[in-house]
Amino acid sequence: MVVSSPHPDVDIPDVTLYDFLFASLEDQDLDRVAVVDGPSGATTTFGELCAQVDAIAGAAAARGLGVGDVVALHSPNVPAFVSVFHGLLRAGVTVTTVNALASGAEVGKQLVASGATALFTVSALLPQAAEGAEQAGLDRDAVVVLDGAEGYASLRDLLAAGAPAPEVTIDPSTHLAVLPYSSGTTGLPKGVMLTHRNLVANVLQTRPYLPLGREDVVPAVLPFFHIYGMTVLMNFAVLERATLVTLPRFDLPEYLGVIGAHRATVLFVAPPIALAVAKHPLAAEADLSSVRLMMSGAAPFDARLAAAVRQRLPQARVVQGYGMSEMSPVSHVVPVDRDDIDPGSIGLLAANMLAKIVDPATGEEIEPPAEGTSAPGELLCAGPNVMVGYLGDEAATRDTFDADGFLHTGDIATVDADGVFHIVDRLKELIKYKGYQVPPAELEALLLGHPQITDAAVVGVPDEDGEEIPKAFVVAAEGAELTAEEVMEHVAAKVAPYKKVRAVQFTRTIPKSAAGKILRKELRAG
Ligand code: 4UW
């Protein structure tokens, strides 16, 4: 049986993200601060942000970028991320966001896979950006370094031309706004095709249960390049005319300092940040009295951690959301005004959403219970926020949707009689390290590229703090003298730091099904 959201449906206007967020700006908001650069304290007002978005749209159009083009944005959280992202979208460009921690080879792969014809980056990431651009055959003219670098166009150069924003006509329900990369339920990262409508819808679907307003100050430490930061921070906070304080990386003292100095009110976090706030002695000394809400997502967050956070933030609500790049991303959230709901749950379906729980062994739908909690099964979701499909990968798209058009999340969930969902396990092979995606298929391919490795499998296992880490099971070639350190270094040299293999076990065989699929559950069980 299908479970419907208990919330009333919301209307989703047929508009572009620019029209949704910026065309509605009122005079009274123009002088309010939209974005603060955390490290320097420099501020950008809504009026300035909107003018920058228009100017960047004009500059993009003057470079010949518009509808049909894909442009890569490769930057940590800085205020210019917001204006460049929305400026490119305003010009009709589709933006593929690249993880700021990506290696040069990873940047190159995404440029090629997405068909990007230009790359916007920052000087600190230029070594990886330049390597990736070269790999993808982009010449220097196609690379813009926002803060400037010798031999490259900068944002200032682009804006100096003063080109007017172009008039573009696009259909918000079919035109691709963004292409974040996700490995989904299996395999290598794929371009997730999200339309303007997907992004507009997702903000509206959670808005009533997650009130944010003009008085809110929101540290933006979760990366804008990842769908959580993109929708929940960048788009949601801008829509509500709240103030974002950007931080290019997570550094606990700096984060706590920003909360105190800017009187931050709402913290959107992933579990490792929640853990630091709950447990680190520095957090005990920090002034966190301004915080009224902490929301965690992107990886499991249990009720014990929620309770530990509440001890540090007794005045605040501590809630959880759940989502996936393929859902723009939010499908579930614990409504802020429902303190009767377990904070270890992912709460209720967002507005306009449907879900099913299906027995992965039989494909049978599990009935929601009249009372108590359902049996666990795979969660499938449908709604206006669900992606169109994976770019250029019809087979993966087909496999990700069931016959009724519901998206396979690859997560195992239960639902209770009140419509409250819990995530209890993960069916898919994906590993999450500090909330970042680590696709085992990618690491396995790298391991198999080592001349002394004949077979390998990578699974997520808990470390001593209970955090998930990637562990490699390795079959070494006959007579090979391979150490665990060598295996780890082999991978670390080629991938972003969060994708490193952090534990190695040598084994004689990798358990596989008759069809040759790695039996990951067996490996995880040890
Ligand atoms: N509990 C257990 C969770 C949870 C979870 C995600 O990288 P992606 O594609 O996307 C994300 C999205 C995070 C997110 C979305 C909306 C939201 O409100 C929120 O919190 C405020 C966070 O991470 O990875 C998707 C996969 O990440 C796992 C799960 O396996 C999912 O399929 N995941 N949230 N609360 N696991």
Side-chain angles (χ1 to χ4, degrees):
M1 201 183 102
V2 171
V3 184
S4 310
S5 169
H7 303 304
D9 275 0
V10 291
D11 280 334
I12 300 157
D14 195 28
V15 294
T16 64
L17 196 60
Y18 173 83
D19 283 343
F20 181 58
L21 297 181
F22 294 100
S24 54
L25 256 179
E26 291 168 18
D27 286 349
Q28 66 186 56
D29 290 321
L30 296 180
D31 294 330
R32 297 177 42 76
V33 175
V35 194
V36 181
D37 179 42
S40 72
T43 59
T44 306
T45 63
F46 279 98
E48 288 164 343
L49 179 62
C50 196
Q52 287 171 13
V53 169
D54 289 349
I56 290 161
R63 294 189 131 224
L65 298 171
V67 176
D69 292 312
V70 176
V71 173
L73 178 50
H74 173 231
S75 167
N77 286 5
V78 290
F81 193 114
V82 184
S83 44
V84 170
F85 177 89
H86 286 293
L88 290 170
L89 256 61
R90 171 156 208 206
V93 165
T94 300
V95 172
T96 189
T97 48
V98 185
N99 193 312
L101 301 172
S103 67
E106 289 166 343
V107 175
K109 261 191 237 159
Q110 189 171 330
L111 291 174
V112 172
S114 63
T117 53
L119 168 65
F120 284 59
T121 188
V122 294
S123 58
L125 302 181
L126 191 51
Q128 297 89 306
E131 185 187 332
E134 194 185 335
Q135 195 175 306
L138 296 190
D139 58 28
R140 265 180 183 233
D141 294 347
V143 179
V144 176
V145 180
L146 300 181
D147 51 338
E150 185 70 36
Y152 290 91
S154 70
L155 196 55
R156 188 178 298 177
D157 300 333
L158 259 59
L159 297 181
E167 289 293 328
V168 291
T169 312
I170 52 177
D171 177 351
S173 55
T174 56
H175 186 74
L176 299 184
V178 292
L179 279 173
Y181 270 67
S182 164
S183 67
T185 58
T186 185
L188 298 173
K190 298 169 277 292
V192 177
M193 298 194 284
L194 299 177
T195 62
H196 282 258
R197 180 177 172 80
N198 288 148
L199 298 184
V200 169
N202 203 225
V203 174
L204 289 171
Q205 286 173 275
T206 46
R207 191 182 200 190
Y209 326 108
L210 198 64
L212 206 65
R214 286 180 166 72
E215 301 317 315
D216 280 310
V217 176
V218 185
V221 70
L222 295 180
F224 294 144
F225 57 73
H226 181 248
I227 194 73
Y228 179 3
M230 189 188 295
T231 290
V232 179
L233 293 170
M234 191 164 59
N235 297 343
F236 190 30
V238 169
L239 176 72
E240 303 295 18
R241 313 305 183 217
T243 300
L244 286 170
V245 186
T246 60
L247 286 164
R249 72 191 68 78
F250 178 64
D251 171 79
L252 183 64
E254 192 178 27
Y255 182 63
L256 296 171
V258 155
I259 294 172
H262 297 276
R263 308 288 302 153
T265 55
V266 178
L267 308 180
F268 290 108
V269 301
I273 301 181
L275 186 69
V277 168
K279 300 276 167 76
H280 200 285
L282 277 178
E285 290 157 24
D287 177 6
L288 304 176
S289 59
S290 54
V291 177
R292 69 169 179 86
L293 170 67
M294 178 191 270
M295 175 153 192
S296 176
F301 180 73
D302 65 20
R304 264 181 317 174
L305 179 52
V309 172
R310 258 209 310 270
Q311 290 216 321
R312 282 277 158 92
L313 301 172
Q315 77 287 1
R317 281 281 291 140
V318 178
V319 298
Q320 184 172 187
Y322 160 88
M324 189 173 164
S325 305
E326 288 79 350
M327 300 196 287
S328 303
V330 191
S331 65
H332 290 72
V333 51
V334 177
V336 168
D337 62 359
R338 290 287 304 272
D339 56 9
D340 55 316
I341 294 182
D342 170 16
S345 79
I346 57 166
L348 307 171
L349 270 171
N352 307 48
M353 292 214 73
L354 303 172
K356 302 183 201 178
I357 294 187
V358 171
D359 182 335
T362 63
E364 299 275 319
E365 281 176 29
I366 292 171
E367 288 299 311
E371 55 186 271
T373 300
S374 76
E378 187 187 4
L379 174 66
L380 283 84
C381 295
N385 50 319
V386 173
M387 69 166 180
V388 177
Y390 293 117
L391 181 71
D393 197 337
E394 277 174 32
T397 303
R398 210 176 323 115
D399 291 347
T400 299
F401 289 97
D402 77 355
D404 304 324
F406 281 62
L407 178 92
H408 284 274
T409 64
D411 292 306
I412 301 288
T414 60
V415 61
D416 71 15
D418 299 322
V420 175
F421 289 72
H422 282 79
I423 300 293
V424 294
D425 198 358
R426 208 183 287 139
L427 181 65
K428 58 186 165 189
E429 61 197 36
L430 179 71
I431 301 165
K432 281 250 149 157
Y433 179 71
K434 294 193 189 289
Y436 285 114
Q437 288 202 3
V438 182
E442 204 177 320
L443 303 185
E444 286 156 5
L446 289 174
L447 290 167
L448 290 175
H450 191 290
Q452 292 183 304
I453 294 177
T454 57
D455 205 358
V458 180
V459 298
V461 297
D463 70 1
E464 58 272 19
D465 296 327
E467 263 206 52
E468 190 175 18
I469 56 165
K471 174 173 179 179
F473 288 83
V474 170
V475 181
E478 280 272 320
E481 283 180 29
L482 192 61
T483 65
E485 284 66 35
E486 283 164 357
V487 171
M488 289 196 262
E489 277 165 24
H490 171 74
V491 173
K494 298 184 176 66
V495 298
Y498 66 89
K499 285 189 199 159
K500 283 185 201 170
V501 166
R502 287 167 200 271
V504 175
Q505 185 173 324
F506 290 100
T507 174
R508 295 237 290 238
T509 52
I510 301 293
K512 290 189 186 153
S513 70
K517 257 185 104 162
I518 296 170
L519 296 174
R520 295 175 191 279
K521 241 193 165 117
E522 281 189 21
L523 290 171
R524 274 204 300 257

